[in-house]
């Protein structure tokens, strides 16, 4: 027997149809409209699909036609029947011929398919698919909400914000079971295209808004190192009476050095000057350099050598009565007195030249 939800005219017991013809399932004295129950269905009133001849009672005729619009209003006619609840399959499921354990399989229905619950049994229920197929499925395969259908997952996520709660259900009737904090670890065990995913949090299992999860744990970045302050220039020592009197603490020339020469101006050889960059004086090779001496003075004072810094009229830099010179500290440590072509000098500084010639003397000048 068939029932057609749409017609244009009637002649006796024969009805000429322009519309959708669907099978009728007789069950508990009700008619089930395959493919239309609980769903919106459209068809073209101008397309001749099937012509059926059958007999219906007046009540059935009214039931079939109640949603039809007046002819000519629109080509697309929408039919709605809400007498049978729609549910969803929570997994790929076989359709059975009857509600028995050993029943034969008569078809397949895919996960998340919407079906219409025609008759509910204690273990199996008769359902109608939107494509018109019908059969029995286990009640455990049915759910009333897409939010309850998940695909298996195994992912580790972390909370992206505070204040997002873990619920006992993805639906509005769920109970609050925990409130994870920012950066807490969440293990996702079920996903779908809905808002709430199935997760575990510690030993709890619940549902959480997956849009508030992040893929990686937040790690506080290492603080950038503060820039090292630039050293302040050392002030030149004041020529006060205390420093002048301390000049007496400078060592006397060693006997080994004074045996070579009595000192400037007694030296009668070539004297170092701006034009002659290199000479060989009483103690060997001599050169000259011109740098700020504040750091050298500070090191001398730290070593206990106090004297007045000044510049002689010929441009030679002096520390008390001594010419300031850089020496190879491995043979002439700081404070050593040595004779040069420009006078008696004190080893106050050193330089890289000492790696190749530890006996070279580099005299400080302002040239």
């Amino acid at each position: 027997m068939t029932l057609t939800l749409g017609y244009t005219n009637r002649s006796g017991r024969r009805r000429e149809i322009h519309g959708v013809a669907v099978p009728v399932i007789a069950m508990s004295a009700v008619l089930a409209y395959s493919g239309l129950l609980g769903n919106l269905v459209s068809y073209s009133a101008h397309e001749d699909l099937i012509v059926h001849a059958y007999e219906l009672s007046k009540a059935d005729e009214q039931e079939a036609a109640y949603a039809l619009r007046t002819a000519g209003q629109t080509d697309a006619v929408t039919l709605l029947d809400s007498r049978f609840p729609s549910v969803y399959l929570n997994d790929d499921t076989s359709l059975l011929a009857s509600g028995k354990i050993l029943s034969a399989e008569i078809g397949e229905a895919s996960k998340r398919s919407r079906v219409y619950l025609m008759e509910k049994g204690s273990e199996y229920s008769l359902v109608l698919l939107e494509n018109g197929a019908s059969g029995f499925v286990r009640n455990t395969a049915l759910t009333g909400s897409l939010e309850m259908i998940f695909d298996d997952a195994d992912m580790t996520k972390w909370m992206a914000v505070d204040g997002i709660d873990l619920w006992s259900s993805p639906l509005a009737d769920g109970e609050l079971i925990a409130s994870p904090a920012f950066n807490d670890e969440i293990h996702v065990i079920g996903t779908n295209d809905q808002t709430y995913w199935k997760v575990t949090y510690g030993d709890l299992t619940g549902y959480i808004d997956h849009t508030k999860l992040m893929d990686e744990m937040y790690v506080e970045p290492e603080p950038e190192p503060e820039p090292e302050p630039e050293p302040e220039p050392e002030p030149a020592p004041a020529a006060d009476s205390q420093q002048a009197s301390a000049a007496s603490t400078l060592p006397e020339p060693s006997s080994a050095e004074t045996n070579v020469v009595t000192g400037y101006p007694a030296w009668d050889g070539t004297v170092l000057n701006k034009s002659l960059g290199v000479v060989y004086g009483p103690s060997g090779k001599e050169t000259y350099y011109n740098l700020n001496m504040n750091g050298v003075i500070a090191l001398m004072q730290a070593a206990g050598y106090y004297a007045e810094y000044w510049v002689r009229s010929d441009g030679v830099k002096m520390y008390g009565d001594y010419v300031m010179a850089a020496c190879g500290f491995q043979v002439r440590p700081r404070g050593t007195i040595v004779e040069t072509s420009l006078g008696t000098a004190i080893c106050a500084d050193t330089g890289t030249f000492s790696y190749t010639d530890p006996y070279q003397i580099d005299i400080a000048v302002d040239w």
Side-chain angles (χ1 to χ4, degrees):
M1 183 178 181
T2 59
L3 173 65
T4 302
L5 302 182
Y7 57 91
T8 57
N9 56 53
R10 178 176 181 175
S11 175
R13 296 179 59 179
R14 182 175 179 81
R15 193 172 292 124
E16 188 173 322
I17 310 298
H18 294 272
V20 179
V22 297
V24 172
I25 301 173
M27 181 185 61
S28 303
V30 298
L31 294 178
Y33 306 153
S34 172
L36 302 177
L37 300 176
N39 190 29
L40 297 175
V41 177
S42 297
Y43 67 89
S44 171
H46 295 300
E47 182 178 0
D48 295 340
L49 299 179
I50 300 179
V51 175
H52 291 280
Y54 56 86
E55 183 176 5
L56 289 177
S57 68
K58 184 66 176 178
D60 289 334
E61 195 172 298
Q62 291 174 348
E63 180 78 32
Y66 83 96
L68 291 177
R69 300 181 182 182
T70 304
Q73 281 188 336
T74 178
D75 290 341
V77 180
T78 299
L79 306 177
L80 174 65
D81 191 328
S82 60
R83 291 191 309 171
F84 302 99
S86 62
V87 291
Y88 300 91
L89 297 177
N90 58 30
D91 208 345
D92 294 337
T93 306
S94 297
L95 295 177
L96 305 178
S98 67
K100 298 179 180 179
I101 296 177
L102 300 179
S103 175
E105 294 184 8
I106 58 174
E108 295 286 338
S110 59
K111 187 176 184 177
R112 293 187 176 86
S113 293
R114 184 178 183 182
V115 300
Y116 305 100
L117 189 59
M118 308 304 300
E119 181 178 354
K120 185 173 178 61
S122 59
E123 189 172 354
Y124 292 87
S125 293
L126 177 62
V127 298
L128 183 68
L129 276 62
E130 290 183 320
N131 63 5
S134 61
F136 288 85
V137 298
R138 283 186 176 273
N139 292 338
T140 55
L142 302 175
T143 180
S145 174
L146 284 173
E147 286 83 353
M148 296 298 298
I149 305 174
F150 296 92
D151 298 316
D152 291 340
D154 183 8
M155 297 185 294
T156 301
K157 302 279 187 178
W158 287 267
M159 294 302 303
V161 292
D162 280 319
I164 304 302
D165 297 325
L166 183 70
W167 299 91
S168 62
S169 168
L171 306 178
D173 59 354
E175 296 181 357
L176 175 63
I177 58 177
S179 296
F182 169 74
N183 227 25
D184 280 357
E185 183 174 312
I186 302 293
H187 188 65
V188 179
I189 59 175
T191 63
N192 54 26
D193 58 0
Q194 307 298 313
T195 300
Y196 285 87
W197 284 359
K198 190 173 184 179
V199 302
T200 58
Y201 174 58
D203 58 354
L204 300 174
T205 299
Y207 303 86
I208 203 163
D209 183 349
H210 79 276
T211 64
K212 309 303 181 184
L213 302 177
M214 55 186 176
D215 296 332
E216 296 181 358
M217 176 186 291
Y218 175 77
V219 178
E220 190 75 27
E222 292 290 336
E224 295 185 1
E226 296 184 2
E228 295 184 2
E230 295 184 1
E232 296 183 1
E234 294 288 340
D240 54 24
S241 58
Q242 180 180 1
Q243 288 185 329
S245 62
S248 60
T249 61
L250 290 174
E252 294 295 329
S254 65
S255 59
E257 298 289 348
T258 54
N259 287 337
V260 176
V261 67
T262 59
Y264 182 86
W267 171 252
D268 59 0
T270 305
V271 177
L272 184 67
N273 57 60
K274 188 175 182 180
S275 299
L276 298 174
V278 178
V279 300
Y280 287 85
S283 300
K285 181 179 179 179
E286 295 178 9
T287 55
Y288 67 86
Y289 72 105
N290 182 8
L291 294 175
N292 187 298
M293 304 305 290
N294 288 340
V296 176
I297 293 168
L299 292 173
M300 287 292 286
Q301 292 179 346
Y305 299 100
Y306 295 93
E308 179 184 2
Y309 169 72
W310 56 287
V311 180
R312 208 166 62 184
S313 60
D314 59 355
V316 176
K317 296 180 179 180
M318 305 292 291
Y319 196 55
D321 295 332
Y322 296 92
V323 173
M324 298 185 74
C327 308
F329 281 170
Q330 62 269 50
V331 295
R332 294 187 178 110
R334 190 188 307 275
T336 301
I337 302 301
V338 61
E339 297 300 328
T340 73
S341 66
L342 291 169
T344 304
I346 184 169
C347 293
D349 196 7
T350 190
T352 56
F353 64 87
S354 64
Y355 297 134
T356 56
D357 185 359
Y359 290 96
Q360 179 181 336
I361 300 172
D362 204 15
I363 297 175
V365 297
D366 67 350
W367 305 331

